PDB file of all heavy atoms in Angstrom:
ATOM      1  N   ALA A   1      -2.691  13.179 -16.104  1.00 98.00           N
ATOM      2  CA  ALA A   1      -3.611  12.054 -16.388  1.00 98.00           C
ATOM      3  C   ALA A   1      -3.003  11.165 -17.587  1.00 98.00           C
ATOM      4  O   ALA A   1      -2.476  11.732 -18.563  1.00 98.00           O
ATOM      5  CB  ALA A   1      -4.921  12.510 -16.807  1.00 98.00           C
ATOM      6  N   GLY A   2      -3.078   9.955 -17.464  1.00 98.00           N
ATOM      7  CA  GLY A   2      -2.490   8.975 -18.481  1.00 98.00           C
ATOM      8  C   GLY A   2      -1.162   8.560 -18.186  1.00 98.00           C
ATOM      9  O   GLY A   2      -0.616   7.558 -18.814  1.00 98.00           O
ATOM     10  N   GLY A   3      -0.455   9.116 -17.090  1.00 98.00           N
ATOM     11  CA  GLY A   3       0.892   8.771 -16.743  1.00 98.00           C
ATOM     12  C   GLY A   3       0.962   7.623 -15.822  1.00 98.00           C
ATOM     13  O   GLY A   3      -0.115   6.938 -15.503  1.00 98.00           O
ATOM     14  N   SER A   4       2.098   7.231 -15.367  1.00 98.00           N
ATOM     15  CA  SER A   4       2.315   6.149 -14.485  1.00 98.00           C
ATOM     16  C   SER A   4       3.115   6.454 -13.313  1.00 98.00           C
ATOM     17  O   SER A   4       4.036   7.338 -13.322  1.00 98.00           O
ATOM     18  CB  SER A   4       2.997   4.899 -15.285  1.00 98.00           C
ATOM     19  OG  SER A   4       2.274   4.545 -16.341  1.00 98.00           O
ATOM     20  N   LEU A   5       2.892   5.669 -12.223  1.00 98.00           N
ATOM     21  CA  LEU A   5       3.734   5.760 -11.011  1.00 98.00           C
ATOM     22  C   LEU A   5       3.854   4.362 -10.368  1.00 98.00           C
ATOM     23  O   LEU A   5       2.925   3.501 -10.621  1.00 98.00           O
ATOM     24  CB  LEU A   5       3.091   6.624  -9.905  1.00 98.00           C
ATOM     25  CG  LEU A   5       3.094   8.192 -10.130  1.00 98.00           C
ATOM     26  CD1 LEU A   5       2.221   8.862  -9.060  1.00 98.00           C
ATOM     27  CD2 LEU A   5       4.535   8.660 -10.037  1.00 98.00           C
ATOM     28  N   ARG A   6       4.936   4.100  -9.718  1.00 98.00           N
ATOM     29  CA  ARG A   6       5.073   2.825  -8.988  1.00 98.00           C
ATOM     30  C   ARG A   6       5.336   3.075  -7.536  1.00 98.00           C
ATOM     31  O   ARG A   6       6.258   3.649  -7.110  1.00 98.00           O
ATOM     32  CB  ARG A   6       6.299   2.068  -9.636  1.00 98.00           C
ATOM     33  CG  ARG A   6       6.632   0.742  -8.980  1.00 98.00           C
ATOM     34  CD  ARG A   6       7.792   0.037  -9.737  1.00 98.00           C
ATOM     35  NE  ARG A   6       8.383  -1.140  -9.081  1.00 98.00           N
ATOM     36  CZ  ARG A   6       7.940  -2.317  -9.266  1.00 98.00           C
ATOM     37  NH1 ARG A   6       6.932  -2.632 -10.021  1.00 98.00           N
ATOM     38  NH2 ARG A   6       8.483  -3.340  -8.562  1.00 98.00           N
ATOM     39  N   LEU A   7       4.449   2.483  -6.722  1.00 98.00           N
ATOM     40  CA  LEU A   7       4.587   2.642  -5.229  1.00 98.00           C
ATOM     41  C   LEU A   7       5.333   1.450  -4.714  1.00 98.00           C
ATOM     42  O   LEU A   7       5.061   0.337  -5.190  1.00 98.00           O
ATOM     43  CB  LEU A   7       3.204   2.751  -4.596  1.00 98.00           C
ATOM     44  CG  LEU A   7       2.389   3.947  -4.943  1.00 98.00           C
ATOM     45  CD1 LEU A   7       1.037   3.872  -4.209  1.00 98.00           C
ATOM     46  CD2 LEU A   7       3.053   5.232  -4.622  1.00 98.00           C
ATOM     47  N   SER A   8       6.007   1.640  -3.667  1.00 98.00           N
ATOM     48  CA  SER A   8       6.814   0.572  -2.998  1.00 98.00           C
ATOM     49  C   SER A   8       6.461   0.601  -1.511  1.00 98.00           C
ATOM     50  O   SER A   8       6.207   1.735  -0.983  1.00 98.00           O
ATOM     51  CB  SER A   8       8.221   0.632  -3.211  1.00 98.00           C
ATOM     52  OG  SER A   8       8.615   0.568  -4.567  1.00 98.00           O
ATOM     53  N   CYS A   9       6.556  -0.493  -0.833  1.00 96.00           N
ATOM     54  CA  CYS A   9       6.318  -0.592   0.584  1.00 96.00           C
ATOM     55  C   CYS A   9       7.272  -1.618   1.104  1.00 96.00           C
ATOM     56  O   CYS A   9       7.307  -2.721   0.693  1.00 96.00           O
ATOM     57  CB  CYS A   9       4.803  -0.958   0.901  1.00 96.00           C
ATOM     58  SG  CYS A   9       4.573  -1.315   2.648  1.00 96.00           S
ATOM     59  N   VAL A  10       8.111  -1.236   2.081  1.00 94.00           N
ATOM     60  CA  VAL A  10       9.061  -2.194   2.724  1.00 94.00           C
ATOM     61  C   VAL A  10       8.691  -2.450   4.118  1.00 94.00           C
ATOM     62  O   VAL A  10       8.374  -1.484   4.903  1.00 94.00           O
ATOM     63  CB  VAL A  10      10.456  -1.626   2.602  1.00 94.00           C
ATOM     64  CG1 VAL A  10      11.436  -2.614   3.287  1.00 94.00           C
ATOM     65  CG2 VAL A  10      10.924  -1.367   1.231  1.00 94.00           C
ATOM     66  N   ALA A  11       8.542  -3.766   4.480  1.00 90.00           N
ATOM     67  CA  ALA A  11       8.116  -4.083   5.899  1.00 90.00           C
ATOM     68  C   ALA A  11       9.334  -4.618   6.584  1.00 90.00           C
ATOM     69  O   ALA A  11      10.172  -5.365   6.095  1.00 90.00           O
ATOM     70  CB  ALA A  11       7.052  -5.194   5.791  1.00 90.00           C
ATOM     71  N   SER A  12       9.506  -4.207   7.965  1.00 88.00           N
ATOM     72  CA  SER A  12      10.509  -4.706   8.748  1.00 88.00           C
ATOM     73  C   SER A  12       9.817  -5.257  10.102  1.00 88.00           C
ATOM     74  O   SER A  12       8.791  -4.807  10.388  1.00 88.00           O
ATOM     75  CB  SER A  12      11.509  -3.598   9.143  1.00 88.00           C
ATOM     76  OG  SER A  12      10.861  -2.548   9.830  1.00 88.00           O
ATOM     77  N   GLY A  13      10.527  -6.089  10.721  1.00 75.00           N
ATOM     78  CA  GLY A  13      10.068  -6.787  11.997  1.00 75.00           C
ATOM     79  C   GLY A  13       9.313  -8.038  11.598  1.00 75.00           C
ATOM     80  O   GLY A  13       9.665  -8.861  10.782  1.00 75.00           O
ATOM     81  N   PHE A  14       8.150  -8.280  12.243  1.00 62.00           N
ATOM     82  CA  PHE A  14       7.401  -9.508  12.133  1.00 62.00           C
ATOM     83  C   PHE A  14       6.851  -9.641  10.687  1.00 62.00           C
ATOM     84  O   PHE A  14       6.266  -8.736  10.121  1.00 62.00           O
ATOM     85  CB  PHE A  14       6.237  -9.531  13.139  1.00 62.00           C
ATOM     86  CG  PHE A  14       5.553 -10.840  13.243  1.00 62.00           C
ATOM     87  CD1 PHE A  14       6.047 -11.813  14.100  1.00 62.00           C
ATOM     88  CD2 PHE A  14       4.383 -11.134  12.411  1.00 62.00           C
ATOM     89  CE1 PHE A  14       5.400 -13.033  14.207  1.00 62.00           C
ATOM     90  CE2 PHE A  14       3.806 -12.316  12.620  1.00 62.00           C
ATOM     91  CZ  PHE A  14       4.209 -13.261  13.496  1.00 62.00           C
ATOM     92  N   THR A  15       7.104 -10.809  10.052  1.00 66.00           N
ATOM     93  CA  THR A  15       6.691 -10.958   8.677  1.00 66.00           C
ATOM     94  C   THR A  15       5.257 -11.400   8.620  1.00 66.00           C
ATOM     95  O   THR A  15       4.766 -12.246   9.433  1.00 66.00           O
ATOM     96  CB  THR A  15       7.532 -12.066   8.026  1.00 66.00           C
ATOM     97  OG1 THR A  15       8.863 -11.731   8.019  1.00 66.00           O
ATOM     98  CG2 THR A  15       7.063 -12.245   6.610  1.00 66.00           C
ATOM     99  N   ARG A  16       4.424 -10.806   7.738  1.00 73.00           N
ATOM    100  CA  ARG A  16       3.029 -11.105   7.572  1.00 73.00           C
ATOM    101  C   ARG A  16       2.765 -11.725   6.205  1.00 73.00           C
ATOM    102  O   ARG A  16       3.542 -11.556   5.244  1.00 73.00           O
ATOM    103  CB  ARG A  16       2.271  -9.790   7.722  1.00 73.00           C
ATOM    104  CG  ARG A  16       2.335  -9.159   9.099  1.00 73.00           C
ATOM    105  CD  ARG A  16       1.666  -9.958  10.072  1.00 73.00           C
ATOM    106  NE  ARG A  16       1.985  -9.424  11.438  1.00 73.00           N
ATOM    107  CZ  ARG A  16       1.034  -9.505  12.408  1.00 73.00           C
ATOM    108  NH1 ARG A  16      -0.224 -10.008  12.252  1.00 73.00           N
ATOM    109  NH2 ARG A  16       1.414  -9.071  13.694  1.00 73.00           N
ATOM    110  N   HIS A  17       1.674 -12.485   6.083  1.00 85.00           N
ATOM    111  CA  HIS A  17       1.367 -13.287   4.900  1.00 85.00           C
ATOM    112  C   HIS A  17       0.514 -12.587   3.966  1.00 85.00           C
ATOM    113  O   HIS A  17       0.343 -13.043   2.810  1.00 85.00           O
ATOM    114  CB  HIS A  17       0.721 -14.595   5.351  1.00 85.00           C
ATOM    115  CG  HIS A  17       1.632 -15.345   6.218  1.00 85.00           C
ATOM    116  ND1 HIS A  17       2.807 -15.997   5.847  1.00 85.00           N
ATOM    117  CD2 HIS A  17       1.453 -15.805   7.515  1.00 85.00           C
ATOM    118  CE1 HIS A  17       3.354 -16.574   6.877  1.00 85.00           C
ATOM    119  NE2 HIS A  17       2.554 -16.519   7.874  1.00 85.00           N
ATOM    120  N   CYS A  18      -0.072 -11.528   4.222  1.00 92.00           N
ATOM    121  CA  CYS A  18      -0.962 -10.795   3.392  1.00 92.00           C
ATOM    122  C   CYS A  18      -0.647  -9.303   3.439  1.00 92.00           C
ATOM    123  O   CYS A  18      -0.449  -8.741   4.512  1.00 92.00           O
ATOM    124  CB  CYS A  18      -2.390 -11.042   3.678  1.00 92.00           C
ATOM    125  SG  CYS A  18      -3.619 -10.197   2.564  1.00 92.00           S
ATOM    126  N   MET A  19      -0.574  -8.650   2.222  1.00 93.00           N
ATOM    127  CA  MET A  19      -0.292  -7.199   2.185  1.00 93.00           C
ATOM    128  C   MET A  19      -1.196  -6.568   1.203  1.00 93.00           C
ATOM    129  O   MET A  19      -1.711  -7.215   0.327  1.00 93.00           O
ATOM    130  CB  MET A  19       1.110  -6.962   1.795  1.00 93.00           C
ATOM    131  CG  MET A  19       2.190  -7.481   2.857  1.00 93.00           C
ATOM    132  SD  MET A  19       3.919  -7.082   2.410  1.00 93.00           S
ATOM    133  CE  MET A  19       3.975  -5.383   2.944  1.00 93.00           C
ATOM    134  N   GLY A  20      -1.427  -5.262   1.311  1.00 96.00           N
ATOM    135  CA  GLY A  20      -2.340  -4.614   0.449  1.00 96.00           C
ATOM    136  C   GLY A  20      -2.174  -3.019   0.415  1.00 96.00           C
ATOM    137  O   GLY A  20      -1.427  -2.473   1.198  1.00 96.00           O
ATOM    138  N   TRP A  21      -2.892  -2.434  -0.573  1.00 97.00           N
ATOM    139  CA  TRP A  21      -2.834  -1.035  -0.705  1.00 97.00           C
ATOM    140  C   TRP A  21      -4.276  -0.552  -0.542  1.00 97.00           C
ATOM    141  O   TRP A  21      -5.149  -1.106  -1.110  1.00 97.00           O
ATOM    142  CB  TRP A  21      -2.355  -0.584  -2.093  1.00 97.00           C
ATOM    143  CG  TRP A  21      -0.968  -0.931  -2.350  1.00 97.00           C
ATOM    144  CD1 TRP A  21      -0.311  -1.977  -2.975  1.00 97.00           C
ATOM    145  CD2 TRP A  21       0.230  -0.071  -1.970  1.00 97.00           C
ATOM    146  NE1 TRP A  21       1.010  -1.845  -2.988  1.00 97.00           N
ATOM    147  CE2 TRP A  21       1.385  -0.707  -2.321  1.00 97.00           C
ATOM    148  CE3 TRP A  21       0.266   1.131  -1.229  1.00 97.00           C
ATOM    149  CZ2 TRP A  21       2.648  -0.153  -2.156  1.00 97.00           C
ATOM    150  CZ3 TRP A  21       1.618   1.627  -0.977  1.00 97.00           C
ATOM    151  CH2 TRP A  21       2.736   0.986  -1.440  1.00 97.00           C
ATOM    152  N   PHE A  22      -4.398   0.560   0.214  1.00 97.00           N
ATOM    153  CA  PHE A  22      -5.581   1.249   0.446  1.00 97.00           C
ATOM    154  C   PHE A  22      -5.419   2.757   0.110  1.00 97.00           C
ATOM    155  O   PHE A  22      -4.200   3.289  -0.003  1.00 97.00           O
ATOM    156  CB  PHE A  22      -6.042   1.167   1.862  1.00 97.00           C
ATOM    157  CG  PHE A  22      -6.510  -0.208   2.257  1.00 97.00           C
ATOM    158  CD1 PHE A  22      -5.554  -1.235   2.443  1.00 97.00           C
ATOM    159  CD2 PHE A  22      -7.842  -0.518   2.470  1.00 97.00           C
ATOM    160  CE1 PHE A  22      -6.001  -2.477   2.824  1.00 97.00           C
ATOM    161  CE2 PHE A  22      -8.241  -1.736   2.908  1.00 97.00           C
ATOM    162  CZ  PHE A  22      -7.353  -2.691   3.083  1.00 97.00           C
ATOM    163  N   ARG A  23      -6.471   3.495  -0.135  1.00 98.00           N
ATOM    164  CA  ARG A  23      -6.287   4.861  -0.423  1.00 98.00           C
ATOM    165  C   ARG A  23      -7.476   5.658   0.182  1.00 98.00           C
ATOM    166  O   ARG A  23      -8.550   5.144   0.421  1.00 98.00           O
ATOM    167  CB  ARG A  23      -6.280   5.138  -1.936  1.00 98.00           C
ATOM    168  CG  ARG A  23      -7.565   4.868  -2.680  1.00 98.00           C
ATOM    169  CD  ARG A  23      -7.232   4.938  -4.184  1.00 98.00           C
ATOM    170  NE  ARG A  23      -8.518   4.657  -4.996  1.00 98.00           N
ATOM    171  CZ  ARG A  23      -8.492   4.593  -6.316  1.00 98.00           C
ATOM    172  NH1 ARG A  23      -7.356   4.906  -7.013  1.00 98.00           N
ATOM    173  NH2 ARG A  23      -9.642   4.349  -6.897  1.00 98.00           N
ATOM    174  N   ARG A  24      -7.182   6.941   0.476  1.00 98.00           N
ATOM    175  CA  ARG A  24      -8.242   7.779   1.014  1.00 98.00           C
ATOM    176  C   ARG A  24      -8.031   9.195   0.316  1.00 98.00           C
ATOM    177  O   ARG A  24      -7.032   9.861   0.389  1.00 98.00           O
ATOM    178  CB  ARG A  24      -7.962   8.018   2.508  1.00 98.00           C
ATOM    179  CG  ARG A  24      -9.199   8.857   3.107  1.00 98.00           C
ATOM    180  CD  ARG A  24      -8.940   9.285   4.571  1.00 98.00           C
ATOM    181  NE  ARG A  24      -8.790   8.111   5.471  1.00 98.00           N
ATOM    182  CZ  ARG A  24      -9.828   7.536   6.030  1.00 98.00           C
ATOM    183  NH1 ARG A  24     -11.080   7.937   5.872  1.00 98.00           N
ATOM    184  NH2 ARG A  24      -9.553   6.482   6.890  1.00 98.00           N
ATOM    185  N   ALA A  25      -9.114   9.575  -0.437  1.00 97.00           N
ATOM    186  CA  ALA A  25      -9.172  10.889  -1.098  1.00 97.00           C
ATOM    187  C   ALA A  25      -9.789  11.857  -0.139  1.00 97.00           C
ATOM    188  O   ALA A  25     -10.531  11.500   0.732  1.00 97.00           O
ATOM    189  CB  ALA A  25      -9.953  10.759  -2.357  1.00 97.00           C
ATOM    190  N   PRO A  26      -9.517  13.218  -0.404  1.00 91.00           N
ATOM    191  CA  PRO A  26     -10.104  14.190   0.452  1.00 91.00           C
ATOM    192  C   PRO A  26     -11.626  14.119   0.547  1.00 91.00           C
ATOM    193  O   PRO A  26     -12.276  14.064  -0.613  1.00 91.00           O
ATOM    194  CB  PRO A  26      -9.697  15.540  -0.179  1.00 91.00           C
ATOM    195  CG  PRO A  26      -8.323  15.159  -0.851  1.00 91.00           C
ATOM    196  CD  PRO A  26      -8.569  13.735  -1.353  1.00 91.00           C
ATOM    197  N   GLY A  27     -12.119  14.157   1.654  1.00 94.00           N
ATOM    198  CA  GLY A  27     -13.620  14.036   1.836  1.00 94.00           C
ATOM    199  C   GLY A  27     -14.261  12.671   1.571  1.00 94.00           C
ATOM    200  O   GLY A  27     -15.465  12.474   1.536  1.00 94.00           O
ATOM    201  N   LYS A  28     -13.429  11.682   1.370  1.00 96.00           N
ATOM    202  CA  LYS A  28     -13.932  10.310   0.993  1.00 96.00           C
ATOM    203  C   LYS A  28     -13.505   9.356   2.185  1.00 96.00           C
ATOM    204  O   LYS A  28     -12.610   9.528   2.954  1.00 96.00           O
ATOM    205  CB  LYS A  28     -13.379   9.836  -0.303  1.00 96.00           C
ATOM    206  CG  LYS A  28     -13.604  10.703  -1.441  1.00 96.00           C
ATOM    207  CD  LYS A  28     -15.050  10.628  -1.898  1.00 96.00           C
ATOM    208  CE  LYS A  28     -15.336  11.371  -3.151  1.00 96.00           C
ATOM    209  NZ  LYS A  28     -16.751  11.231  -3.669  1.00 96.00           N
TER     210      LYS A  28
END
């Protein structure tokens, strides 16, 4: 807790104009 992380996502193929991050926690 209190630390940092940096997530990356690389897309290949057809280029899209909108991108985003979603998350799912256990039981949620």
Side-chain angles (χ1 to χ4, degrees):
S4 298
L5 286 172
R6 180 177 168 88
L7 298 180
S8 298
C9 172
V10 178
S12 61
F14 192 86
T15 301
R16 299 291 171 145
H17 301 296
C18 184
M19 300 182 75
W21 292 98
F22 291 71
R23 65 187 181 186
R24 187 191 296 275
K28 302 287 187 178

